Amino acid sequence: ADSQPVCPYDILMSEYKSVPHPNCKSTKPSDICCLYTGTCVGSDDPSTATLDEEGLRLVEHRCWKDGSSDPMLTFAERVAREKLSGALDPTSMGVKSFAYYQWGVSPGEQNFAAFTASLKEHTGPSPSPAPSPAPSPTPSSSKGPPVWLIVVLVVVGVVALALLGFLFYYRSQRARQWPVAADGTGLNRPIQSA
């Protein structure tokens, strides 16, 4: 790569606004020119950008546009998982710092191989897959009574208990009534003695 100084991404929108935009020799982000003119081919979405120098340049530019390291962090996680067969801890300060220093106000100068080599220092082993759940127990083959039979027996038992309770209550109430008078008038009070 040439070691020429690079200009800020927005230079054609500020100091050189009145100057005609350059004709880039290609639309490849790695040639850098198209990043200034907005004519690059490829996706700057960190979850779909190509995992090569083209994708790296587009994601760097996306970070500048968004003013955030989040796209670079997502891109780095993909590179770690798909190229290095490892994993990153996105909450780690070291990983956050790595992502932050991968972009700036102008295109980066490191190539994808150097990016991957630096990323390797922050990559840990890939998490092992979660254990598969144990098979659910199979229903036993011994057949118990059908559910409808149990429901019917419970209802019959409740009705029988209610009937017995009513009979005991009725008998206790009849036993407490005052005797009927001999003339049949139904004096329901105690006879007073003189």
Side-chain angles (χ1 to χ4, degrees), residues 57-148:
R57 292 290 168 254
L58 287 168
V59 172
E60 287 173 352
H61 188 255
R62 169 81 176 261
C63 290
W64 170 75
K65 285 191 311 189
D66 292 356
S68 170
S69 298
D70 290 343
M72 185 59 69
L73 191 56
T74 301
F75 184 75
E77 284 181 282
R78 282 186 58 222
V79 172
R81 183 177 55 250
E82 296 177 30
K83 294 286 188 181
L84 303 175
S85 299
L88 289 183
D89 176 6
T91 62
S92 157
M93 284 309 295
V95 172
K96 287 180 180 182
S97 179
F98 171 81
Y100 175 78
Y101 285 107
Q102 299 309 307
W103 65 278
V105 296
S106 60
E109 294 183 26
Q110 87 176 335
N111 61 29
F112 187 72
F115 172 84
T116 306
S118 296
L119 180 62
K120 197 178 279 191
E121 296 174 21
H122 301 283
T123 304
S126 186
S128 58
S132 58
S136 59
T138 57
S140 64
S141 59
S142 64
K143 292 195 172 203
V147 174
W148 65 268

Side-chain angles (χ1 to χ4, degrees), residues 26-35 40-42 53-55 57-58:
S26 80
T27 56
K28 290 173 48 177
S30 60
D31 288 336
I32 297 179
C33 180
C34 66
L35 294 171
C40 292
V41 172
E53 193 159 345
E54 310 305 324
R57 292 290 168 254
L58 287 168

Side-chain angles (χ1 to χ4, degrees), residues 41-57:
V41 172
S43 173
D44 68 351
D45 180 346
S47 60
T48 59
T50 57
L51 299 180
D52 55 15
E53 193 159 345
E54 310 305 324
L56 176 62
R57 292 290 168 254

